Amino acid sequence: MGILSNKRLLLSLLVGFTLVYPFLFGQSGYFITLFVMISIYVITAMALNLLVGNGGQMSVGHAGFLTVGGYTVAILTTKVGLPLLVVLPLAGVVTGVIGLIIGLPAVRLKGHFLAVATLGFGISIPQIALNWNSLTGGYSGLAVSRPDWLSNNLSFFYLIILVLVLVTWLIHNILKSSLGRAFVAIRESEVAAQSTGVNLSFYKTVMFMISAFFTGIAGGLYGYWFGYVSPNDFTLATSFLLLAMVVVGGLASIPGAIIGAVIFTILPELTRSFVGLNNIIIGIAVVLAILFLPKGLVSITEFFKKRSQPITVKEGTDRTGGMVKDANI
């Protein structure tokens, strides 16, 4: 049994690497921040995958939920003075309520109509943040102060990893529950799901709420890590980047969302000196994934196994009545 097929061994290696990661790079601020951004995008990609991959509901505005989460943390920390352990869950709750507001009318839409509706949400949130000066600070943004016990980057790094593990465990259990099975039933056939007693309006709304809740937490972590949020932090391009993570990594797959988030967080860093190259590579990657790996990179081993298997022709009778023997091609 190979390492890739041994899930426990692979998980142990991943946990071990995560724990020692800051020390592998001499506690470099750049590399720690890169890992933090990967963690934030992993949480967001898993939340989006729950909606798009498992639920079959298109969303092109998840960057808006990240913005809401970030501003919720900034407002509750700076203007209200609430502690982190209260603010971070509230960031998810507030964003979840916004997801509920978006989800209620969206349940009547599907396909490209739903995509356009969520696109409008993703575009409007930064504009609201820009113009609501009294609450969001407008163009200046808002500062976010960390608590004293997390002023050190290393301690906050491990808190983010803890949140990442907790969110991954929660999403995994949601997908394995009856709730997750209802999401998949809606994705496969809304008519069939409704005929078995699945309340489409209720479950679609719950999908948006759960996805927005976890995305809001990711946005809150972003605000705490960088100590600042602004309307330009998460643009429409971020929403398309998140979709690319899900499609290329693998729809309806937690490992797929993780793979996609890792690749498309590191890629912009590698292509930073070449203007426009990052977007070109992302576009090509999405097209190639759709054409050759519709299940995403998470299924690449399965793809090569199928290519390497010989084509077997079973014994039978051909059209002329002659016998055809087994053959391997």
Side-chain angles (χ1 to χ4, degrees):
M1 183 180 291
I3 292 178
L4 291 177
S5 59
N6 192 327
K7 293 182 179 180
R8 288 186 178 181
L9 177 59
L10 190 61
L11 184 61
S12 299
L13 291 174
L14 183 61
V15 171
F17 173 76
T18 302
L19 291 175
V20 302
Y21 174 85
F23 305 100
L24 295 177
F25 298 96
Q27 299 187 40
S28 164
Y30 171 79
F31 285 104
I32 292 179
T33 299
L34 181 62
F35 199 98
V36 167
M37 285 306 302
I38 289 174
S39 301
I40 289 170
Y41 279 133
V42 164
I43 293 172
T44 310
M46 288 191 298
L48 179 60
N49 211 353
L50 183 146
L51 183 66
V52 177
N54 296 96
Q57 308 302 304
M58 181 56 65
S59 173
V60 196
H62 255 56
F65 291 130
L66 280 171
T67 303
V68 171
Y71 270 102
T72 301
V73 161
I75 293 167
L76 294 180
T77 301
T78 305
K79 297 190 175 185
V80 182
L82 295 178
L84 178 144
L85 295 179
V86 175
V87 169
L88 198 56
L90 280 178
V93 171
V94 171
T95 313
V97 171
I98 302 295
L100 170 63
I101 296 171
I102 299 300
L104 285 174
V107 297
R108 299 181 179 275
L109 305 173
K110 57 183 177 181
H112 56 280
F113 296 105
L114 180 57
V116 171
T118 55
L119 177 64
F121 166 74
I123 293 173
S124 65
I125 289 298
Q127 294 302 315
I128 293 172
L130 278 173
N131 292 285
W132 200 346
N133 291 312
S134 60
L135 183 67
T136 64
Y139 287 92
S140 301
L142 289 175
V144 182
S145 57
R146 288 190 209 168
D148 294 335
W149 58 282
L150 287 175
S151 58
N152 180 274
N153 278 348
L154 190 61
S155 58
F156 196 73
F157 169 84
Y158 286 116
L159 175 65
I160 291 176
I161 298 304
L162 179 62
V163 173
L164 172 61
V165 172
L166 179 60
V167 169
T168 305
W169 178 77
L170 287 172
I171 291 178
H172 172 77
N173 282 280
I174 289 171
L175 294 176
K176 294 296 182 181
S177 68
S178 58
L179 191 63
R181 291 192 291 272
F183 293 166
V184 173
I186 293 172
R187 180 195 68 193
E188 295 300 320
S189 172
E190 292 189 8
V191 175
Q194 195 168 23
S195 67
T196 59
V198 175
N199 188 324
L200 297 183
S201 299
F202 172 77
Y203 283 105
K204 283 185 178 181
T205 305
V206 170
M207 276 188 227
F208 272 94
M209 286 183 62
I210 294 175
S211 184
F213 173 83
F214 289 121
T215 305
I217 289 178
L221 290 174
Y222 175 91
Y224 269 119
W225 179 261
F226 288 100
Y228 174 78
V229 291
S230 74
N232 297 319
D233 287 341
F234 301 109
T235 62
L236 185 60
T238 307
S239 292
F240 288 114
L241 180 65
L242 292 169
L243 271 177
M245 292 176 185
V246 171
V247 172
V248 175
L251 289 166
S253 169
I254 290 178
I258 295 172
I259 292 171
V262 170
I263 292 175
F264 288 120
T265 306
I266 295 176
L267 183 62
E269 299 298 321
L270 299 178
T271 60
R272 188 179 293 276
S273 57
F274 303 97
V275 179
L277 180 61
N278 179 53
N279 294 332
I280 294 173
I281 294 175
I282 291 173
I284 293 173
V286 171
V287 172
L288 291 177
I290 292 173
L291 290 175
F292 301 106
L293 283 173
K295 293 183 180 179
L297 288 173
V298 74
S299 66
I300 195 167
T301 54
E302 179 184 341
F303 172 79
F304 284 113
K305 281 181 181 178
K306 287 183 178 179
R307 292 292 298 269
S308 62
Q309 287 177 351
I311 301 174
T312 303
V313 180
K314 295 183 178 180
E315 184 176 357
T317 306
D318 63 10
R319 292 182 179 178
T320 62
M323 297 299 294
V324 178
K325 296 183 179 180
D326 292 347
N328 289 332
I329 301 175

